Amino acid sequence: MKHYPGPVGRLIGELSKLPGIGQKTARRLSFYLLGRPKAEVKDLADAIIDAREKTKYCSVCNNLTEKDPCEYCTSEERDQGTICVVESPKDVIAMESTGEYNGLYHVLHGAISPMDGIGPDEIKIKNLLPRIKEGIDEVIVATDPNAEGDATAMYLAKLLKPLDVEVTRIAHGLPVGGDLEFADEITLSKALEGRREIKY
Amino acid sequence: MKHYPGPVGRLIGELSKLPGIGQKTARRLSFYLLGRPKAEVKDLADAIIDAREKTKYCSVCNNLTEKDPCEYCTSEERDQGTICVVESPKDVIAMESTGEYNGLYHVLHGAISPMDGIGPDEIKIKNLLPRIKEGIDEVIVATDPNAEGDATAMYLAKLLKPLDVEVTRIAHGLPVGGDLEFADEITLSKALEGRREIKY
């Protein structure tokens, strides 16, 4: 990192901490930023700070939000009788982009993965139960279509069985082993449309 | 960009303006940052601002620097009789990383390229001339080994001929058509070692 003026070296160092950004990319981005107008560079820095400072997790559904409870939980236009359970806020975005879902969400922030020591207590299942008691008809489990996502779906189906709520799983129209957030909208729409009750 | 909380959408927008960063990468980086400690995120934003605010161009050699004139121009340990002419500050870093050069620099911020309408007046050649008069023995032209870099080298050789200074070109040990900043250190060392006077 020598040879660089101090602040440039520091910027390269910070950028190269980001996932998928190596030394050369960090260097390229740094020199790009050094050549941009100050206002534009400040916009980027402000956006980084703002996004981190102003967003929090909704106390009801755990989704990323500016206000608590979030817009989905408080919207009168959304179907308050359905909850879609997903692993991460990114998955909420993916579901929304289908335009086919208009219910509520519950973000688990992970999936059950015994191999990694992640059990039901390590993800945000606890605040899902009181939500079900308030009169939810259906819980759509839209965890990732892989072993962890399926295990989480099974766990939820068993957990919610006594609560007299229909628990469904989005169809495996999704490529198995894949990652929900990268699914294209049509595949995701089909998966949502073909959801079936979890049998065990 | 809908579906995202405002500040997150803004961050994704700002990140996707960076070269080589598309929507999906911007989204991935944004969610990564949202999950990091606030202090770490602030470090990144500060580094961006600092690098842009605290660095300027040396009034002597046009290189990026914190203080003006820069460390190279004012260093007593460096050979004050040799100037290496490069296209960009990134190329200074590349030259320094060879460990084989201990003279001064002159950064052109570009190369002559008639096709793109870039002539000698569009790059920073003007403040090179007064530097030569102060008693420089050799000017090493280390512009990129492509058509524009070679044209710039020829131009400089003709321009500096009357000033009684040796003008050399780093050897084409560099892959022709390549980009100086991505050369490996050994190739660059060899190119520096094999430099020859420009004949025309």
Side-chain angles (χ1 to χ4, degrees), chain B residues 50-70:
Chain B
D50 264 20
R52 184 64 185 80
E53 296 284 335
K54 291 192 184 156
T55 54
K56 50 199 157 207
Y57 296 115
C58 174
S59 58
V60 178
C61 73
N62 311 319
N63 192 13
L64 271 177
T65 179
E66 271 185 281
K67 60 191 175 84
D68 184 18
C70 75

Side-chain angles (χ1 to χ4, degrees), chain A residues 3-8 10-11 14-15 17-21 24 27-29 31-34 36-38 40-55 57 64-66 72 89-90 93 96-97 181-182, chain B residues 3-8 10-11 14-15 17-21 24 27-29 31-34 36-38 40-55 57 64-66 72 89-90 93 96-97 181-182:
Chain A
H3 314 314
Y4 295 97
V8 181
R10 211 180 116 220
L11 176 57
E14 289 292 336
L15 287 174
K17 286 183 194 168
L18 297 174
I21 307 279
K24 287 214 164 164
R27 208 186 296 168
R28 184 168 53 77
L29 291 175
F31 280 99
Y32 170 81
L33 287 171
L34 291 172
R36 303 306 299 170
K38 285 190 184 178
E40 191 179 316
V41 173
K42 192 167 179 304
D43 280 350
L44 170 62
D46 287 349
I48 291 172
I49 294 280
D50 264 21
R52 185 63 186 82
E53 295 284 335
K54 291 193 184 157
T55 54
Y57 295 116
L64 271 176
T65 179
E66 271 185 280
Y72 297 119
K90 282 180 271 200
I93 309 296
E96 283 297 298
S97 66
E181 69 173 292
F182 299 120
Chain B
H3 315 315
Y4 295 98
V8 180
R10 210 180 116 221
L11 176 57
E14 288 294 333
L15 287 173
K17 286 182 193 167
L18 298 174
I21 307 281
K24 287 213 164 166
R27 206 186 297 170
R28 183 168 54 77
L29 292 175
F31 280 100
Y32 170 81
L33 287 171
L34 290 171
R36 304 305 301 170
K38 284 188 184 183
E40 192 179 314
V41 173
K42 193 167 177 310
D43 281 349
L44 170 62
D46 286 350
I48 291 171
I49 294 281
D50 264 20
R52 184 64 185 80
E53 296 284 335
K54 291 192 184 156
T55 54
Y57 296 115
L64 271 177
T65 179
E66 271 185 281
Y72 297 120
K90 282 179 270 200
I93 309 298
E96 284 298 297
S97 66
E181 68 174 296
F182 299 120

